[in-house]
Amino acid sequence: MMNQIKINGIRLNKNYLQVTQEEFDRHYTSGMLLYQALQSKSINLVFMALNTLGDRSFISGAIASRHLKNVLNQDGNWACKRDICTLSIYPHHYRFRLLGGLLSLLGQQKISFWHMVSSKAMLTFVVDQQNCDAFIELLSSNFDLPKSHVPFEQEENDELTKFLKKKYPETRATYVEEKIKTYGITLETDLTLNAYRFSFDQLAGFGRELQSIDDSENSEDKFFHTCAHLISPENIRLFLLTGKSPGFTEGQTCPAELLSFHGPHFGDRHSIISRALNCLSKKSIPVLQAACTGSSIGIILAQGKGEAAKQALTDVFENP
């Protein structure tokens, strides 16, 4: 049962804009991409998802509402949606049981979301603010949370932000050091990227299937990354990066590698994901998917591209 799964908390961020660039140049050879344009305007991406697979390529990000005017004045094929929020649960420990239980609940209750992405510690959802209360109720009712827990809601505090940026230059949104510090750049190879298209009813069934997988300590019984996005009011595209096939429903598959890193202050500065992807573009290394949530970045590459990508990042990022 879901109430047997313990998590440490729920993190909530309200009043964001979702900005999406559809059908961008997949070879990164022409035009300014969403993350590059936001970098040029010193606008911080608190969440970003990039996809080049299937019949829909897109870059979608969440930014502070105060940047609405800048976004509306932007030339190009950007779509903007107001009043969205991000909701995260932590930790997930890359367990099929937790992910499956959550997907099953979302499918059963048909609670819609725009994006889902896993990071090192969190499963993060982008949802309409009007669905926020229902989402929190689903999480609070079906997970074992600490008794004292209430959703931790981060709010912008202009006075505190000004104080921190004055006292600690590394928190300034316009400050980027020559070499960006990380806690380590890791590369996972010999992985399989599984792609699915589900209705909400099918999503519930797939979630139950994931729950049935033995919750052991073996890495083969864990996922390495997951992301999903809404493709119509009734259909969801879901990707699951795994090691050896754990025996659940097969979708479209391709061999892949995962490059990921985690670092200080990533969630409080613009351009981290942009600089990472620009490094790969300069070396003509194609990206299948990428995600940025808080202080974690994950980049999915075709098999055999990981080592070159890791080396390319060392021009800009420190790997202790």
Side-chain angles (χ1 to χ4, degrees), residues 136-168:
I136 290 176
E137 175 60 26
L138 178 144
L139 297 176
S140 301
S141 299
N142 293 281
F143 284 88
D144 186 355
L145 287 157
K147 291 181 180 180
S148 61
H149 172 78
V150 293
F152 171 61
E153 183 172 351
Q154 286 189 319
E155 295 182 357
E156 293 185 15
N157 184 317
D158 291 337
E159 186 176 337
L160 177 60
T161 299
K162 288 178 182 178
F163 169 76
L164 290 173
K165 289 180 179 180
K166 183 177 180 180
K167 188 171 183 179
Y168 304 106

Side-chain angles (χ1 to χ4, degrees), residues 19-22 31-32 37 71-80:
V19 187
T20 302
Q21 183 180 28
E22 300 266 7
M32 185 170 284
V71 170
L72 293 178
N73 291 337
Q74 176 69 34
D75 293 330
N77 56 333
W78 290 16
C80 180

Side-chain angles (χ1 to χ4, degrees), residues 13-293:
N13 297 83
K14 288 184 177 180
N15 302 315
Y16 283 147
L17 300 173
Q18 178 176 269
V19 187
T20 302
Q21 183 180 28
E22 300 266 7
E23 298 302 329
F24 61 94
D25 176 9
R26 299 186 190 204
H27 301 289
Y28 312 100
T29 56
S30 63
M32 185 170 284
L33 300 175
L34 173 66
Y35 52 82
Q36 295 170 333
L38 295 177
Q39 176 187 356
S40 71
K41 295 176 180 293
S42 298
I43 297 176
N44 182 42
L45 275 165
V46 296
F47 171 95
M48 196 204 80
L50 178 152
N51 178 65
T52 66
L53 297 172
D55 54 4
R56 184 191 175 206
S57 61
F58 66 85
I59 307 169
S60 186
I63 62 175
S65 296
R66 65 178 181 273
H67 299 303
L68 176 62
K69 185 176 180 180
N70 278 332
V71 170
L72 293 178
N73 291 337
Q74 176 69 34
D75 293 330
N77 56 333
W78 290 16
C80 180
K81 185 169 184 57
R82 308 187 198 195
D83 298 324
I84 62 108
C85 64
T86 62
L87 270 162
S88 305
I89 62 171
Y90 57 91
H92 55 73
H93 296 303
Y94 299 100
R95 295 299 175 84
F96 286 120
R97 183 166 169 256
L98 186 149
L99 176 63
L102 183 53
L103 293 178
S104 178
L105 287 167
L106 291 171
Q108 290 169 23
Q109 299 190 26
K110 295 181 172 54
I111 297 179
S112 182
F113 57 89
W114 292 105
H115 296 282
M116 177 191 73
V117 163
S118 65
S119 64
K120 188 175 182 65
M122 299 187 297
L123 273 172
T124 298
F125 295 84
V126 177
V127 303
D128 285 325
Q129 231 153 259
Q130 65 185 12
N131 292 335
C132 180
D133 289 344
F135 220 104
I136 290 176
E137 175 60 26
L138 178 144
L139 297 176
S140 301
S141 299
N142 293 281
F143 284 88
D144 186 355
L145 287 157
K147 291 181 180 180
S148 61
H149 172 78
V150 293
F152 171 61
E153 183 172 351
Q154 286 189 319
E155 295 182 357
E156 293 185 15
N157 184 317
D158 291 337
E159 186 176 337
L160 177 60
T161 299
K162 288 178 182 178
F163 169 76
L164 290 173
K165 289 180 179 180
K166 183 177 180 180
K167 188 171 183 179
Y168 304 106
E170 67 270 19
T171 65
R172 292 178 187 165
T174 55
Y175 171 84
V176 178
E177 63 270 45
E178 184 176 347
K179 280 272 191 173
I180 300 171
K181 297 178 179 64
T182 74
Y183 293 125
I185 301 172
T186 60
L187 176 64
E188 299 282 356
T189 61
D190 298 321
L191 303 179
T192 299
L193 184 61
N194 306 270
Y196 306 92
R197 178 172 178 155
F198 292 126
S199 68
F200 278 98
D201 290 335
Q202 292 169 327
L203 184 67
F206 182 71
R208 290 190 292 271
E209 193 173 348
L210 290 184
Q211 282 181 285
S212 68
I213 297 174
D214 182 33
D215 191 19
S216 71
E217 292 299 323
N218 298 325
S219 61
E220 65 187 25
D221 293 322
K222 300 177 183 179
F223 64 91
F224 290 82
H225 183 81
T226 187
C227 64
H229 59 268
L230 195 73
I231 53 178
S232 75
E234 295 296 329
N235 289 280
I236 292 167
R237 188 78 160 157
L238 184 142
F239 297 87
L240 192 59
L241 191 64
T242 64
K244 185 171 66 175
S245 176
F248 51 74
T249 300
E250 292 186 3
Q252 294 178 313
T253 63
C254 68
E257 300 181 349
L258 173 65
L259 189 67
S260 58
F261 54 98
H262 186 80
H265 303 300
F266 282 10
D268 195 39
R269 292 213 311 274
H270 74 284
S271 87
I272 304 299
I273 185 68
S274 181
R275 294 186 77 183
L277 295 175
N278 288 341
C279 285
L280 304 188
S281 177
K282 287 178 182 178
K283 301 293 184 179
S284 300
I285 300 173
V287 173
L288 304 181
Q289 294 181 332
C292 173
T293 60

